[in-house]
Amino acid sequence: MPEPVTREQAKKFYETMCTIRCFEESVKRDFLNGEIPGFVHLYIGEEAIGTGICAALRDTDLIESTHRGHGHCVAKGADVNKMMAEIFGKKDGLCHGKGGSMHIADFSVGMLGANGVVGGGYNLATGAALANKMILKNDTVSVVFFGDGASNRGTFHEAANVAAAWKLPVIFVNEMNCWASTTPYRTTTAVEDISDRAKGYNMPGVIVDGQNVFEVYQAAVEAVARARRGEGPTFIEAKTYRIEGHFVGDPEHYRKKEETMEIFHRTDPLKLFKTQCPEGIEFSQEELDGILTAAREKIAKAKEYAVSCEYPDPSEFLTDVYAE
């Protein structure tokens, strides 16, 4: 049975997606202006996946992210002011300015961290699930997000095998965005649907429209319930498309930008939201516009906060590296 969604929940979904979109647009501008160090990878166009998955989780549940992790962090409830400060490398950031975009984390909301290593999150999330089931003996659920390219890494098969064999409470969420860095999906992957691989590990493999937050949420609710019942992992494949380049500043010689923008025009989850709402739930365009405006203002304040913060002192470079 589908989980009923209230109007308040639907509104929260849209607020979260708008916050992610505005956060990413701000980061893109500031990176191109030379204000942000390192590299940043954007989640624009994929907001419905992180939002729908995290909406089905408790605050105490855990997620492990990717190098494209800002959206997951927002969706799990991290403070956007401290997120922005972290990306700007400031000491008041979530990781005191030492993690940056690709290693941003917030344990207080169950966000175990973005991960610069492709396929690096599988065993961390599965290990957390193992600890919660076998040692802490609770019903906490772990989620690992990963792209289609990462699904070809050996760590996926290792984690999927042990998670299924030991019925661990972990959910594998494949954000199938069609691109592994600069490589198109069909070049390196023989299966049509990556979720077909779940069959090899005797776990459910579910395909959802990654541009429909309600569909993603329903799949997540079922997977979470299965995990809490002790029945083991689920593989959710969310079909989406990577709108931005692999990283901000990517020249994208490997694809045509006009084709990408045409796809974005048809699949933008923010634009589709109004028509995707369950029967009986309606929003006026004015209300949705107001939510988006509020999100822009919230992120503008986050940027102001980040700029106002200080950088870590050089004497602190080696702190937070090892346990005291």
Side-chain angles (χ1 to χ4, degrees):
M1 289 289 292
E3 179 78 8
V5 174
T6 66
R7 189 179 190 279
E8 191 59 33
Q9 282 178 298
K11 181 180 179 181
K12 179 62 177 176
F13 292 170
Y14 191 71
E15 288 174 344
T16 300
M17 291 196 295
C18 286
T19 301
I20 295 171
R21 176 68 57 83
C22 295
F23 189 94
E24 297 292 62
E25 289 175 342
S26 177
V27 166
K28 180 179 181 178
R29 284 193 303 270
D30 295 337
F31 181 84
L32 291 174
N33 287 336
E35 298 179 62
I36 293 174
F39 281 94
V40 291
H41 306 74
L42 303 181
Y43 201 59
I44 290 174
E46 302 178 41
E47 296 90 349
I49 304 173
T51 298
I53 295 292
C54 290
L57 301 175
R58 297 172 182 165
D59 292 344
T60 51
D61 289 328
L62 307 171
I63 67 169
E64 177 63 30
S65 185
T66 71
H67 55 280
R68 201 175 307 283
H70 308 159
H72 306 143
C73 205
V74 171
K76 196 59 173 71
D79 184 299
V80 293
N81 290 341
K82 293 185 178 297
M83 276 186 65
M84 193 68 82
E86 182 61 34
I87 290 172
F88 271 75
K90 300 301 184 70
K91 69 178 182 180
D92 291 317
L94 289 174
C95 304
H96 310 297
K98 300 173 184 178
S101 170
M102 282 194 284
H103 298 94
I104 194 167
D106 186 357
F107 286 10
S108 72
V109 297
M111 204 297 192
L112 298 181
N115 201 313
V117 177
V118 175
Y122 299 121
N123 292 330
L124 298 175
T126 302
L130 175 65
N132 280 302
K133 179 176 181 176
M134 303 292 195
I135 301 173
L136 301 177
K137 299 187 184 303
N138 58 39
D139 65 351
T140 297
V141 172
S142 298
V143 172
V144 55
F145 293 94
F146 58 99
D148 42 287
S151 72
N152 291 325
R153 301 300 298 266
T155 47
F156 163 70
H157 300 281
E158 294 169 355
N161 183 63
V162 74
W166 294 345
K167 296 189 183 304
L168 300 181
V170 60
I171 301 169
F172 297 87
V173 180
N174 172 220
E175 298 177 312
M176 218 302 280
N177 66 25
C178 302
W179 293 94
S181 185
T182 62
T183 305
Y185 161 65
R186 299 307 311 152
T187 301
T188 59
T189 308
V191 293
E192 182 63 32
D193 299 308
I194 295 174
S195 54
D196 285 347
R197 291 174 170 169
K199 298 174 185 176
Y201 301 103
N202 196 30
M203 73 172 82
V206 181
I207 296 175
V208 297
D209 179 359
Q211 309 310 103
N212 187 324
V213 67
F214 300 100
E215 191 172 324
V216 175
Y217 172 71
Q218 294 296 346
V221 167
E222 293 178 19
V224 168
R226 170 181 159 83
R228 294 205 205 282
R229 291 194 301 265
E231 297 174 9
T234 299
F235 187 115
I236 297 175
E237 179 181 0
K239 301 285 192 181
T240 184
Y241 195 83
R242 198 191 75 208
I243 298 304
E244 296 292 326
H246 174 54
F247 57 90
V248 176
D250 179 358
E252 300 188 63
H253 295 312
Y254 49 88
R255 65 182 187 178
K256 296 180 179 179
K257 193 63 177 177
E258 56 268 26
E259 292 180 3
T260 301
M261 296 317 296
E262 189 278 327
I263 291 172
F264 187 40
H265 179 73
R266 289 188 287 104
T267 65
D268 183 350
L270 270 64
K271 291 182 179 179
L272 294 174
F273 175 83
K274 189 175 180 181
T275 59
Q276 293 170 340
C277 285
E279 185 176 355
I281 296 179
E282 296 181 358
F283 293 91
S284 68
Q285 191 57 50
E286 290 74 16
E287 185 173 5
L288 296 181
D289 290 345
I291 292 171
L292 181 57
T293 297
R296 287 198 182 104
E297 294 172 352
K298 180 179 181 179
I299 298 307
K301 291 179 180 178
K303 197 275 179 82
E304 291 175 5
Y305 173 80
V307 170
S308 72
C309 294
E310 300 293 330
Y311 289 103
D313 188 271
S315 65
E316 302 172 12
F317 280 177
L318 296 180
T319 60
D320 304 312
V321 176
Y322 300 102
E324 295 293 332

